[in-house]
Amino acid sequence: MITPPDDSPTISCDAEDDPPASAPPGPLSATQQAEVAEQRAEATPTRRVVAPALEEVLYQPIPVLDRGFIRVVDYMGDDAAVVQAARVSYGRGTKRVSEDAGLIRYLMRHRHTTPFEMCEIKYHVKLPIFVARQWIRHRTANVNEYSARYSILDREFYVPAPEHLAAQSASNRQGRGAVLEGAEAARALDVLKDDAARAFDHYEELLNEDAAGNVMDPGRQGLARELARMNLPLNTYTQWYWKTDLHNLLHFLSLRADAHAQYEIRAYAEAMAETVKRWVPITYQAFEDYRLGGTQLSAAGLAAVKRMLAGEQVSQPDSGLSKREWRELMEALGRAP
Amino acid sequence: MITPPDDSPTISCDAEDDPPASAPPGPLSATQQAEVAEQRAEATPTRRVVAPALEEVLYQPIPVLDRGFIRVVDYMGDDAAVVQAARVSYGRGTKRVSEDAGLIRYLMRHRHTTPFEMCEIKYHVKLPIFVARQWIRHRTANVNEYSARYSILDREFYVPAPEHLAAQSASNRQGRGAVLEGAEAARALDVLKDDAARAFDHYEELLNEDAAGNVMDPGRQGLARELARMNLPLNTYTQWYWKTDLHNLLHFLSLRADAHAQYEIRAYAEAMAETVKRWVPITYQAFEDYRLGGTQLSAAGLAAVKRMLAGEQVSQPDSGLSKREWRELMEALGRAP
Amino acid sequence: MITPPDDSPTISCDAEDDPPASAPPGPLSATQQAEVAEQRAEATPTRRVVAPALEEVLYQPIPVLDRGFIRVVDYMGDDAAVVQAARVSYGRGTKRVSEDAGLIRYLMRHRHTTPFEMCEIKYHVKLPIFVARQWIRHRTANVNEYSARYSILDREFYVPAPEHLAAQSASNRQGRGAVLEGAEAARALDVLKDDAARAFDHYEELLNEDAAGNVMDPGRQGLARELARMNLPLNTYTQWYWKTDLHNLLHFLSLRADAHAQYEIRAYAEAMAETVKRWVPITYQAFEDYRLGGTQLSAAGLAAVKRMLAGEQVSQPDSGLSKREWRELMEALGRAP
Amino acid sequence: MITPPDDSPTISCDAEDDPPASAPPGPLSATQQAEVAEQRAEATPTRRVVAPALEEVLYQPIPVLDRGFIRVVDYMGDDAAVVQAARVSYGRGTKRVSEDAGLIRYLMRHRHTTPFEMCEIKYHVKLPIFVARQWIRHRTANVNEYSARYSILDREFYVPAPEHLAAQSASNRQGRGAVLEGAEAARALDVLKDDAARAFDHYEELLNEDAAGNVMDPGRQGLARELARMNLPLNTYTQWYWKTDLHNLLHFLSLRADAHAQYEIRAYAEAMAETVKRWVPITYQAFEDYRLGGTQLSAAGLAAVKRMLAGEQVSQPDSGLSKREWRELMEALGRAP
């Protein structure tokens, strides 16, 4: 978020409308829900292309994790816009649906990416800071984040659901193993909740301002917002407007909806994937067929497949593949290693 | 443009609809005009923000140079979307018009650029190749260009109007001087027209295919399109879909609508500026006030202004500025050098 | 940082070499200092251009804040490379030093930015996470960050020096006011230190692994690294390799070495500015003369200056400027408002 | 190329040193060869990493097409720099060669691209304009092109060698078929040569300046350079400095060294690939193994392979693949369709 000066229009924080920390009813306060409802109530005629299934959920928050959400706040183009750009056409540029689908699938298969850049989408996202730090690595996007230099953050932090509280993987240094249970799980949740609660208490004390915006102690000045925020933990929720084109969004999904992605960002990617299906169904189907559902064979992997198809018995040692590569190949081919 | 394979849906070139080379009636053929009219006739309700003044000209070609045009084919957001992103708001995020304008002007003045990236626009442009080569240097945009590998280009090339046929500037190695007159002007126009006509004749001969798509000589194979095109001159018209965000568009305009830009690309920038005024009038006004109409003072230029304001007589030699810098400063201040 | 798989080469964390939390001797451990010294000891002949003053400090950490640093780990090009690219020359492309400087200053004055993109520099930076979150917004750069999914972070966090422990500004919502004093300052420092220490203690407990890499409690599994990190506060130190070109680096410095930037990131920008002076002294001087030391006048501001130079008395109300704009103009001109 | 002003240092064009149009001895004039030799003669010690095999060819033009070339003019990093960045290390960060290679191969296999962005290379390229127009579509690069607004282009244009003068493909709208022969080939070469020669004659006439820089007719003013250039054909040679990082360079090579790329740009990509082998041999080998030599299977293609490996007879109609996809799959697997 940007920070207007002292003599600029006031930006109200609506802090009074936020749910009390003790009983969060859901990601949006009543005031926020009313604002969303008001946005959704209006419809205006446009000459632009419209994606009806996406309009249905426009502005509507889709819950992710315990207190986060995504919501589509604007979009531009649809499947036909991909075709239109690929044809550099004067009119709609589309033919029969089957022809358009054939062209879109051809473009996806042969990685002709520029026509997919002709569609654009904008999300409002509420997410924990540690997820935001992974997300922001995707550089071909536009971002406006809520500013904790200028405003005071809400008392909202992510605590994993019990089924996502996993141990460190023994085999994969950046993966998860079994779910924690019993006392260890309980203790972990307690630590996360207590430390976050204390950090927020101290954040307000440092600011010398409570959640309702009242000065706590008139005898103190209060630490600058840009400094006080450093006491908050990485599971604090932030929010941003995030805008990107369809090509870069699919690339984001291919990495972040993948099984290797951390669960918490994957949850966002999966919710976004549903909105993409509504927006550009033909493109999304092609994406599933040619990217998500397929596999990449290395030179040595391809050579091994050729030998196997020719009836040879091939084993890891004589395949030229490392143990790990061999295992990955057998998994991709649905065979026992 | 992208090139579907042999078994993909056919893309018709509509070559038969193009105006005959002898008597071009204007930038669009009758078929193309009908396609545009059909696009403009439909209106669909949307929950998205709509920019009414821009909708008025949506899809409508705006002529530029002798046979080029720009036309807006899609857009996303408006002035309110800038405000909404700057406030990371749940609802419309806008206040009274005067407050919104104040915030937009604040953002422009202090170069807070990210909220302006939240609006996006897409143009269909027909332009000479030498202009396209300057334009494409703006990298933060998405482009789909008509492919001369895949398709055959139309017989259309740019010839300057007599008043733009200028001599080389004597003082500025990349500028123009006086307008050419008389025999020299006539000869220049003849050369440009004749060479382009001959190049196009030979292009068709190399392709072994005339403008109507007929084989010219059944005894020849015809040179590949990707090779034959190399015979065409740089004033040949091409076309593309070009999409960018508002921040990058304003940056484009600040460089290309500037007096130092070559006239031919400036003509495009000026036509685009009119569409931006329709789209985001408050932002455009702020852009004029804080960018186009202002000036940048160097450290030495600022020091000279301070001395002048203090009543000193300052001359170039004791200003620390080079002759050229001094002249530029005096021009900016509206004073005699 | 990237995370190799189980059967990939081991990446040792050198955790045993890190300074004990109780008595940090400085930003680098003895082992790290030895590694840096080894890098600095070698010199190899190259045909590339060399920037001798930058070579002097190559690899050398320059302390920033209480436990951070920057160090240049590689670079490409120098002032002559800017000239060479601007001339698209076959050889060195440089003339007399005065001519080269004149060209560089011309390029800077007229915002011909592409030749400055032809120089590249790479830094290794250790910085608090809340600074990293501001920094990463500069998208035209390459980044490899130490991964807390894969590795365990060191017990290092930023605590402001007493003179930087400032109150919230009353006039600027994102600025700092007076320095805190007495009990309020002492309490703020205690809170920051205690909360960070507790968060780190709990981080190790959650991981079930102490700083020396030993399992703490064999009866527990330990929470996955990618989850445990969420308990850490935003003043935790992280580190990354960051690479960018000279044009984008100067843009970064113009925003982050500015008085409006938060002190903590400004401290990094100022340290980097010193390395840029060593690397490309002519370019840096031009940058100071035409960017840092100058000012931008708006259309209305320029009009006011013209009237003042013509001898008129101009006041805010009849200037067309807002109060804030008028105050900023008077400050820029060194006059009383 | 950038255009200094009237009072800036003169940039000599060395036009007098260029080979006469009648008998071009090769891509470089004697003066240019001397400049290159001078660059190559010097060696200076550096603390940076050095790639010895690349230093051997530094600055040396490698001929491409009839009058073009590429030459490496600067670079930053090597294979070890990839490892160093992936490890965010303080020192060299490299281990045994086998471990480093294992890490690089892991990064390539799993598309961890950021460490490859930590190496940078800069080329000086001379190329026909129609090739430059394909090339510039790669946006994540820095470019300085010779300016025909500011300078006068040399009389150099590309004419295909007889074995590259191909007919249009009958099956692929953007491909080449059989090589032209006999009278058709001779006529095509004549047309290309004659039209280019005439265009250059007229270019000089319009400029009113011959190749030696002499005014041709004192009675004429001469057309502005920025206008006269529009008469030149798309096979005219231009040149630029082009700089990119290793990741983006490999992406460029994967598209442009591919059999589907137009021969003329492929010739450049193949020459560049040789320089990459010298620069980062381990990375290049991994690139060949995991990208160039492998193949991508779609979801349906993978299903077909699984069925075949299970002993089923699979044919196109029951595979769910289109005819074209089936043919491509059979080709990739080395089987008869």
Side-chain angles (χ1 to χ4, degrees):
Chain A
M1 200 177 82
I2 293 301
T3 53
D6 42 356
D7 67 351
S8 77
T10 308
I11 295 183
S12 75
C13 287
D14 295 329
E16 70 278 23
D17 305 317
D18 285 323
S22 51
L28 260 63
S29 70
T31 301
Q32 289 160 352
Q33 285 173 27
E35 288 177 326
V36 168
E38 190 195 354
Q39 277 185 311
R40 286 175 54 77
E42 262 185 52
T44 318
T46 183
R47 283 171 162 155
R48 291 172 291 171
V49 294
V50 172
L54 189 59
E55 292 269 341
E56 283 173 22
V57 299
L58 203 67
Y59 304 128
Q60 193 70 54
I62 299 164
V64 184
L65 302 183
D66 56 351
R67 298 189 60 77
F69 63 76
I70 63 152
R71 60 187 197 113
V72 179
V73 289
D74 211 346
Y75 70 92
M76 170 174 165
D78 62 356
D79 277 326
V82 175
V83 170
Q84 198 179 31
R87 293 198 169 110
V88 193
S89 60
Y90 280 80
R92 300 207 181 279
T94 61
K95 312 277 173 180
R96 292 197 311 274
V97 169
S98 66
E99 289 188 16
D100 288 356
L103 177 54
I104 287 173
R105 294 175 69 79
Y106 170 81
L107 297 171
M108 183 70 71
R109 200 161 75 241
H110 290 272
R111 298 192 176 251
H112 288 304
T113 58
T114 55
F116 298 108
E117 296 175 12
M118 288 290 156
C119 296
E120 192 88 11
I121 195 163
K122 184 162 58 182
Y123 291 96
H124 179 190
V125 185
K126 187 173 158 194
L127 70 178
I129 290 174
F130 72 93
V131 174
R133 300 226 310 131
Q134 295 182 323
W135 192 312
I136 199 74
R137 297 303 312 278
H138 295 261
R139 288 161 291 184
T140 41
N142 309 113
V143 187
N144 271 281
E145 187 173 354
Y146 191 82
S147 169
R149 274 190 89 189
Y150 179 76
S151 301
I152 297 179
L153 291 175
D154 294 329
R155 180 186 286 265
E156 298 200 278
F157 45 90
Y158 168 63
V159 179
E163 65 269 28
H164 294 124
L165 203 70
Q168 176 65 29
S169 165
S171 63
N172 180 351
R173 284 195 62 170
Q174 68 181 351
R176 297 187 186 183
V179 171
L180 294 189
E181 294 185 347
E184 185 171 7
R187 168 69 180 155
L189 292 178
D190 282 350
V191 163
L192 291 172
K193 286 178 193 167
D194 289 355
D195 280 6
R198 184 184 300 102
F200 272 86
D201 288 342
H202 286 158
Y203 175 57
E204 291 180 350
E205 180 191 333
L206 290 169
L207 293 169
N208 195 30
E209 186 174 331
D210 67 19
N214 301 314
V215 169
M216 295 169 75
D217 175 356
R220 290 196 289 119
Q221 296 187 275
L223 190 63
R225 286 168 189 160
E226 67 180 28
L227 286 171
R229 63 172 163 171
M230 80 171 75
N231 200 56
L232 295 175
L234 287 164
N235 58 348
T236 307
Y237 273 98
T238 184
Q239 48 180 302
W240 61 33
Y241 270 51
W242 188 77
K243 167 173 157 287
T244 195
D245 66 61
L246 177 54
H247 164 62
N248 281 292
L249 179 58
L250 294 178
H251 183 66
F252 178 92
L253 295 182
S254 73
L255 293 175
R256 302 305 183 179
D258 185 85
H260 294 91
Q262 180 163 355
Y263 162 74
E264 280 76 17
I265 197 166
R266 202 165 69 234
Y268 284 88
E270 286 168 357
M272 293 161 86
E274 294 303 311
T275 63
V276 180
K277 275 185 215 173
R278 286 178 171 271
W279 180 29
V280 284
I282 300 173
T283 297
Y284 194 81
Q285 185 63 49
F287 173 65
E288 282 197 327
D289 291 347
Y290 298 114
R291 298 285 171 82
L292 296 188
T295 195
Q296 170 80 25
L297 296 180
S298 68
L302 177 58
V305 169
K306 284 182 183 176
R307 289 168 58 197
M308 290 159 70
L309 286 173
E312 268 191 70
Q313 289 288 347
V314 186
S315 63
Q316 182 263 324
D318 71 337
S319 70
L321 295 162
S322 73
K323 280 182 189 168
R324 183 186 176 95
E325 288 180 79
W326 178 257
R327 194 172 66 237
E328 289 173 356
L329 178 62
M330 290 303 105
E331 277 166 15
L333 297 173
R335 297 168 76 85
Chain B
M1 202 176 80
I2 292 303
T3 53
D6 42 354
D7 67 353
S8 77
T10 308
I11 295 183
S12 76
C13 288
D14 297 328
E16 70 278 22
D17 304 318
D18 285 323
S22 52
L28 260 63
S29 71
T31 302
Q32 289 160 351
Q33 286 173 25
E35 288 176 327
V36 167
E38 191 195 353
Q39 276 184 311
R40 286 177 53 78
E42 263 185 51
T44 317
T46 183
R47 282 169 162 156
R48 292 172 292 173
V49 294
V50 172
L54 189 60
E55 292 270 340
E56 283 173 22
V57 298
L58 203 67
Y59 303 128
Q60 193 70 54
I62 298 164
V64 184
L65 301 184
D66 56 348
R67 298 188 60 76
F69 63 76
I70 63 152
R71 61 187 196 111
V72 178
V73 290
D74 211 347
Y75 71 93
M76 170 173 165
D78 62 356
D79 277 324
V82 175
V83 170
Q84 199 180 31
R87 294 198 168 108
V88 192
S89 60
Y90 280 79
R92 299 204 183 281
T94 60
K95 311 277 175 179
R96 292 196 311 276
V97 170
S98 65
E99 289 189 16
D100 287 357
L103 177 55
I104 287 173
R105 295 176 69 79
Y106 171 81
L107 298 171
M108 183 70 70
R109 200 160 73 241
H110 289 272
R111 299 192 176 252
H112 288 303
T113 58
T114 55
F116 298 108
E117 296 176 12
M118 287 290 159
C119 296
E120 192 89 10
I121 195 162
K122 184 162 59 181
Y123 291 96
H124 179 189
V125 185
K126 187 172 157 194
L127 71 176
I129 290 174
F130 72 92
V131 174
R133 299 225 311 130
Q134 294 182 322
W135 192 312
I136 199 76
R137 298 304 312 280
H138 295 261
R139 288 161 292 184
T140 41
N142 310 112
V143 187
N144 271 279
E145 186 173 354
Y146 191 83
S147 169
R149 275 190 88 190
Y150 180 74
S151 301
I152 296 179
L153 291 175
D154 294 330
R155 179 186 288 265
E156 297 200 278
F157 46 89
Y158 168 62
V159 179
E163 66 269 27
H164 294 123
L165 204 68
Q168 176 65 29
S169 164
S171 62
N172 179 352
R173 284 194 62 170
Q174 66 181 353
R176 296 188 187 183
V179 171
L180 293 191
E181 295 185 347
E184 185 171 7
R187 169 67 181 159
L189 292 177
D190 282 351
V191 163
L192 291 171
K193 286 178 193 167
D194 289 355
D195 279 6
R198 185 185 300 102
F200 272 86
D201 288 342
H202 285 157
Y203 174 58
E204 291 181 350
E205 181 191 333
L206 291 169
L207 293 169
N208 196 29
E209 189 174 330
D210 66 19
N214 301 314
V215 169
M216 294 170 76
D217 175 355
R220 290 196 288 120
Q221 294 187 277
L223 190 63
R225 287 168 189 159
E226 66 181 29
L227 286 172
R229 61 171 163 172
M230 80 171 73
N231 201 55
L232 295 175
L234 287 164
N235 58 347
T236 306
Y237 273 97
T238 183
Q239 49 179 302
W240 60 33
Y241 271 50
W242 189 78
K243 167 175 158 285
T244 196
D245 64 61
L246 177 54
H247 164 63
N248 280 291
L249 179 58
L250 294 178
H251 183 65
F252 178 92
L253 295 183
S254 73
L255 292 175
R256 301 306 183 177
D258 185 86
H260 293 92
Q262 180 164 354
Y263 162 74
E264 281 74 19
I265 197 166
R266 201 165 69 233
Y268 285 88
E270 287 168 357
M272 293 161 85
E274 294 303 311
T275 63
V276 180
K277 277 184 214 173
R278 286 177 171 272
W279 180 29
V280 283
I282 299 173
T283 297
Y284 194 81
Q285 184 63 50
F287 173 64
E288 282 197 328
D289 291 346
Y290 298 115
R291 299 287 171 80
L292 295 189
T295 196
Q296 169 80 23
L297 296 181
S298 68
L302 177 58
V305 169
K306 285 182 182 176
R307 288 169 58 199
M308 289 159 69
L309 286 173
E312 268 191 70
Q313 287 290 346
V314 186
S315 62
Q316 181 265 322
D318 72 337
S319 70
L321 294 163
S322 74
K323 281 182 190 168
R324 183 186 178 95
E325 287 180 80
W326 178 257
R327 194 173 63 238
E328 288 172 355
L329 178 63
M330 291 303 105
E331 277 166 15
L333 297 174
R335 298 168 76 86
Chain C
M1 199 176 84
I2 292 302
T3 53
D6 43 357
D7 66 354
S8 77
T10 308
I11 294 183
S12 74
C13 289
D14 296 329
E16 70 278 22
D17 305 317
D18 286 323
S22 52
L28 261 63
S29 70
T31 303
Q32 289 161 351
Q33 286 173 25
E35 287 176 329
V36 167
E38 189 195 355
Q39 276 185 312
R40 287 177 52 78
E42 261 185 52
T44 319
T46 184
R47 282 170 163 156
R48 292 173 291 173
V49 294
V50 172
L54 189 59
E55 293 270 340
E56 282 172 21
V57 298
L58 203 67
Y59 304 126
Q60 193 71 54
I62 298 163
V64 184
L65 302 184
D66 57 347
R67 298 188 59 76
F69 62 76
I70 63 153
R71 60 189 196 110
V72 179
V73 290
D74 210 347
Y75 70 93
M76 170 173 164
D78 62 357
D79 278 324
V82 175
V83 170
Q84 198 179 33
R87 294 197 168 110
V88 192
S89 60
Y90 280 80
R92 300 205 181 280
T94 60
K95 311 277 172 177
R96 292 197 311 275
V97 169
S98 66
E99 289 189 16
D100 288 357
L103 177 55
I104 286 173
R105 295 176 69 81
Y106 171 81
L107 298 170
M108 183 69 71
R109 201 160 72 241
H110 291 271
R111 298 193 176 253
H112 288 305
T113 57
T114 53
F116 298 108
E117 296 176 11
M118 287 291 157
C119 296
E120 193 88 11
I121 195 163
K122 184 161 57 181
Y123 291 96
H124 178 192
V125 185
K126 187 171 159 195
L127 71 178
I129 289 173
F130 71 93
V131 174
R133 298 223 316 127
Q134 295 182 324
W135 192 312
I136 199 77
R137 297 303 313 279
H138 295 262
R139 289 161 292 184
T140 40
N142 310 112
V143 187
N144 271 280
E145 186 174 355
Y146 191 83
S147 169
R149 274 191 90 190
Y150 179 76
S151 300
I152 297 179
L153 290 176
D154 294 331
R155 180 186 287 264
E156 298 201 279
F157 46 91
Y158 168 63
V159 179
E163 65 270 27
H164 294 123
L165 204 70
Q168 177 65 29
S169 164
S171 62
N172 179 350
R173 285 194 62 170
Q174 66 181 354
R176 298 188 185 183
V179 172
L180 294 190
E181 295 186 348
E184 185 172 6
R187 169 66 180 158
L189 291 178
D190 281 351
V191 163
L192 291 172
K193 286 179 192 166
D194 288 356
D195 279 7
R198 184 184 301 102
F200 272 86
D201 288 344
H202 285 157
Y203 174 58
E204 291 181 351
E205 181 192 332
L206 291 169
L207 292 169
N208 196 29
E209 187 174 330
D210 66 18
N214 301 316
V215 169
M216 294 170 76
D217 174 356
R220 291 196 288 119
Q221 294 187 278
L223 190 62
R225 285 168 190 161
E226 67 181 27
L227 286 171
R229 61 170 164 172
M230 78 171 75
N231 200 55
L232 295 176
L234 286 164
N235 58 347
T236 307
Y237 273 98
T238 183
Q239 50 180 301
W240 60 32
Y241 271 51
W242 189 77
K243 167 173 157 286
T244 196
D245 65 61
L246 177 55
H247 164 63
N248 281 290
L249 179 58
L250 293 179
H251 183 65
F252 178 94
L253 295 183
S254 73
L255 293 174
R256 301 306 183 177
D258 185 85
H260 294 91
Q262 181 164 354
Y263 162 74
E264 280 75 17
I265 196 166
R266 202 166 67 233
Y268 284 88
E270 286 168 356
M272 292 161 87
E274 294 303 311
T275 62
V276 179
K277 275 185 216 174
R278 285 178 171 272
W279 181 28
V280 284
I282 299 172
T283 297
Y284 194 82
Q285 184 64 49
F287 173 65
E288 283 197 327
D289 291 347
Y290 297 114
R291 299 287 171 81
L292 296 189
T295 195
Q296 170 80 24
L297 296 180
S298 68
L302 178 58
V305 168
K306 284 182 184 176
R307 288 169 60 198
M308 289 160 71
L309 286 174
E312 269 191 69
Q313 288 288 347
V314 186
S315 64
Q316 183 264 323
D318 71 338
S319 70
L321 295 163
S322 74
K323 280 183 190 168
R324 185 186 176 94
E325 288 180 78
W326 177 259
R327 194 172 65 236
E328 289 173 355
L329 178 63
M330 290 302 105
E331 277 167 15
L333 296 175
R335 297 168 77 84
Chain D
M1 198 176 86
I2 294 303
T3 52
D6 43 353
D7 66 353
S8 77
T10 308
I11 296 182
S12 74
C13 289
D14 297 330
E16 69 280 21
D17 307 317
D18 286 322
S22 51
L28 262 63
S29 70
T31 303
Q32 290 160 351
Q33 286 173 26
E35 287 176 327
V36 167
E38 190 196 354
Q39 277 185 310
R40 287 175 53 76
E42 263 185 50
T44 318
T46 184
R47 280 168 163 158
R48 291 173 292 172
V49 293
V50 172
L54 189 59
E55 292 269 341
E56 283 173 21
V57 298
L58 203 68
Y59 304 126
Q60 192 72 54
I62 299 164
V64 183
L65 302 184
D66 57 348
R67 299 189 60 76
F69 63 76
I70 62 153
R71 61 188 196 109
V72 179
V73 290
D74 210 346
Y75 70 93
M76 169 173 165
D78 62 356
D79 278 324
V82 175
V83 170
Q84 198 179 33
R87 294 197 168 109
V88 193
S89 59
Y90 281 80
R92 300 205 181 280
T94 60
K95 312 276 173 179
R96 291 196 314 273
V97 169
S98 66
E99 288 189 17
D100 288 356
L103 177 55
I104 287 173
R105 295 175 69 81
Y106 171 81
L107 297 171
M108 182 70 71
R109 200 160 75 242
H110 290 271
R111 298 191 177 254
H112 288 305
T113 58
T114 53
F116 297 108
E117 295 175 11
M118 288 290 159
C119 297
E120 193 88 11
I121 194 163
K122 184 161 59 180
Y123 290 96
H124 178 191
V125 186
K126 188 172 157 196
L127 72 176
I129 289 173
F130 72 93
V131 174
R133 299 225 311 130
Q134 295 183 322
W135 193 312
I136 200 78
R137 298 303 312 279
H138 295 262
R139 289 161 292 185
T140 41
N142 310 111
V143 187
N144 271 280
E145 186 174 354
Y146 192 82
S147 169
R149 273 191 90 189
Y150 179 76
S151 300
I152 298 179
L153 292 175
D154 294 331
R155 181 186 286 267
E156 297 200 278
F157 45 91
Y158 168 62
V159 178
E163 66 270 25
H164 294 123
L165 203 69
Q168 176 65 28
S169 165
S171 62
N172 179 350
R173 284 194 62 171
Q174 68 181 351
R176 298 188 185 183
V179 172
L180 294 190
E181 294 186 345
E184 186 172 4
R187 169 68 181 158
L189 292 178
D190 281 351
V191 163
L192 290 171
K193 286 179 192 166
D194 289 355
D195 281 5
R198 184 183 300 101
F200 272 87
D201 288 343
H202 286 157
Y203 174 58
E204 291 182 348
E205 182 192 330
L206 290 169
L207 293 169
N208 195 28
E209 187 174 332
D210 66 18
N214 301 315
V215 169
M216 293 170 77
D217 175 356
R220 291 196 287 120
Q221 294 187 277
L223 190 63
R225 285 167 191 162
E226 67 181 26
L227 287 172
R229 61 173 164 170
M230 79 171 74
N231 201 56
L232 295 175
L234 287 163
N235 58 348
T236 307
Y237 273 98
T238 184
Q239 50 180 301
W240 61 31
Y241 271 50
W242 189 78
K243 166 173 157 288
T244 196
D245 64 61
L246 177 54
H247 165 63
N248 281 292
L249 179 58
L250 294 178
H251 183 65
F252 177 93
L253 295 183
S254 73
L255 293 175
R256 302 305 183 177
D258 185 85
H260 294 91
Q262 179 163 354
Y263 162 74
E264 280 76 17
I265 197 166
R266 201 165 70 232
Y268 285 88
E270 287 169 356
M272 291 160 86
E274 293 304 311
T275 62
V276 180
K277 276 185 215 174
R278 286 178 170 272
W279 180 27
V280 284
I282 299 172
T283 297
Y284 194 82
Q285 185 63 49
F287 173 65
E288 282 197 327
D289 291 348
Y290 297 114
R291 299 287 171 82
L292 296 188
T295 196
Q296 169 80 23
L297 296 180
S298 69
L302 177 57
V305 168
K306 285 181 182 176
R307 288 169 60 198
M308 290 160 69
L309 287 173
E312 268 191 71
Q313 287 289 344
V314 186
S315 63
Q316 182 265 321
D318 71 337
S319 70
L321 294 163
S322 75
K323 280 182 189 166
R324 185 187 175 95
E325 289 181 77
W326 178 258
R327 194 173 65 237
E328 289 173 356
L329 178 62
M330 290 302 106
E331 276 167 15
L333 298 174
R335 297 167 77 86

